[in-house]
Amino acid sequence: MPGIEKLPLEETLEDSPQTRSLLGVFEEDTAAISNYCTQLYQAMQRIYDAQNELSAATHLTSRLLKEYDKQRFPLGGDDEVMSSTLQQFAKVIDELSSCHAVLSTQLADAMMFPISQFKERDLKAWKITKTDFLLLADHDTAINRYSRLSKRRDNDKVRAEVVEDVYTSRKKQHQTMLHYFCALNTLQYKKKTALLEPLLGYMQAQISFFKLGSENLTQQWEDFLGTIGTSVQNVRREMEEEVGQMQENIQQMERSCDPLYAPCDPDPAHSPVCRNLTRKQGYLYIRNKTGLVSSSWERQYFFTQGGNLMQQGRGEVAGGLVTDLDNCSVMAVDSDDRRFCFQVTSFDGKKVVTLQAESRKDCEEELAARVNQTALEAVTPSPSFQQRHESMRPSSKGRTGRTSSISSVGSEPSPALSVLSLDALVAPDTPIQFDIISPVTEEISGQNKAAAQPGRRSNPFGESGDNAAEDNSILHQLFIVRFLGSMEVKTAESADVISETMRQILAARAIHNIFRMTESHLLVTCDCLKLIDPQTQVTRLRFPLSSVVHCASHQDNKRLFGFVLQAAGGRGDSRVVCYIFESNNDGEKICDSIGLAKQIAFHSEMVSLYQS
């Protein structure tokens, strides 16, 4: 490395013009170094920030890959191969994240620290010394004053003051210039170390990072990556074949369906009317009365199921019952404002449904399908309740839902149902209770017995005598509910029994045209659940909180909820009954309230045991 230029310290006292000129060159060089080092510092700071961001992003990627098993994809299913592959990738990326974290630490120590020290300490010290040097104006003033001393009027006191002033200012200027020259000379050395040390640290950190990576990524990982690459190529090839086949199908379907795009009737020669249909489904317009003489038309999807005409709106989860096709009459009708209309009339003539098809061909096929379906129902024995709603059961390959003691369940069974069948939850042909029996008829006999006992007073309103204890309960929450039905179930081990009970009760109500529901007030306390008549305030039913085993709401219709009760029987056995309700509020809130009540009751019981 060539010699380093230096400012002569011995020239500082004389302060010649040549020394000042050389000083200006050194100052210009130092200013250029300061500007260049500032830019280099910013560039290295970007490298350090990018490395920190890469380390954080790599760690986040590894964490997300580890959480893949916790995700619930509607169409994903249980892909164990994909899950295990991502777990292996997460392991590798986690190791790389550790390597990146080590690299970030090394860059901070070996690259950023030296250049930061040069920028913040050395260059800042030079700027402070330069400021002091530029403020040296007292020496020239003192020399000028000394030169103007009078030769004729010589005053010893004045001359002594001027001499002292010259001495002080010249000493200060000399010392300041010495320190300033020393700082400039030192910067000539430090500018080389300030440029080379960060680069040396950067290269050493990168080399250490690559060595660490080569040690972690062994031949085993190379074979694994090769296998995954082959699998990806196979999937891509399969995708290209599937896309090509779908494109061909799209072209064929576009050519074949071109006559069907127009809403008018197609050519009868190419598309004749099929009159042998026994089942037809599609969109129709249904006429709904909005007043005494006014009506509106609504487009719905219609289909037949179990001998019933069902309708389902777009976005709805399940269809609703329109009418029973058993012994009904189907005929074309003329409408004042619509074409291609027909109506379905029930066997007793009380219900008339007016529908509109899109074209004359659709109208005739709808008529034929409904007539054939009616004739089929007339010659086919009426199915039992179990056979009729068997088709409404969800498939065992459905999505997994949440199953817990206080949870939200849907129409799809959970993985527990793959081992425990639906018939193991609810027995076939189990009687369903659609209404709540009045407490007056239930408790007359009990009140008569109580009246016969001496010293005991009967309550004419059907209330029990432990209301005072219930009034002192911490929790009191009231909800408006409507009773849909209850039925005895086989087991209380799984919350999926609530979903199956909801399905059977709703199917039975639709089949038997039961639409009336009993409205009650559900009172949730820390002791019990009570169904209260909203008009008479009489307790219709009372359930001890200890007998509530599960409580859950419907996954799709949040207004539906139910709970399972397990009560001891007379001979030591226990009956498990599931009650289903519809509420004005969110069913999950009611389930949360019941769960809170059970927690408070459990806590109170633990406190009592501890105190005793």
Side-chain angles (χ1 to χ4, degrees), residues 110-168:
M111 182 182 71
M112 295 305 301
F113 180 75
I115 195 170
S116 298
Q117 287 291 100
F118 178 72
K119 178 177 177 293
E120 299 295 334
R121 184 182 62 184
D122 299 329
L123 291 179
K124 184 175 291 186
W126 165 72
K127 292 179 180 179
I128 294 174
T129 309
K130 182 180 178 180
T131 303
D132 296 338
F133 175 73
L134 294 177
L135 295 176
L136 292 177
D138 297 339
H139 179 260
D140 293 338
T141 305
I143 290 295
N144 292 333
R145 185 181 177 188
Y146 178 76
S147 301
R148 290 197 301 267
L149 287 175
S150 177
K151 182 179 180 182
R152 298 177 181 179
R153 292 180 298 178
D154 189 8
N155 190 334
D156 295 337
K157 183 178 179 181
V158 174
R159 185 174 66 253
E161 290 179 357
V162 172
V163 170
E164 180 67 22
D165 193 11
V166 171
Y167 170 82
T168 303

Side-chain angles (χ1 to χ4, degrees), residues 323-324 326-329 344-353:
T323 186
D324 191 353
D326 188 13
N327 296 327
C328 71
S329 61
V344 180
T345 307
S346 61
F347 70 96
D348 54 1
K350 294 182 178 180
K351 188 170 186 179
V352 178
V353 180

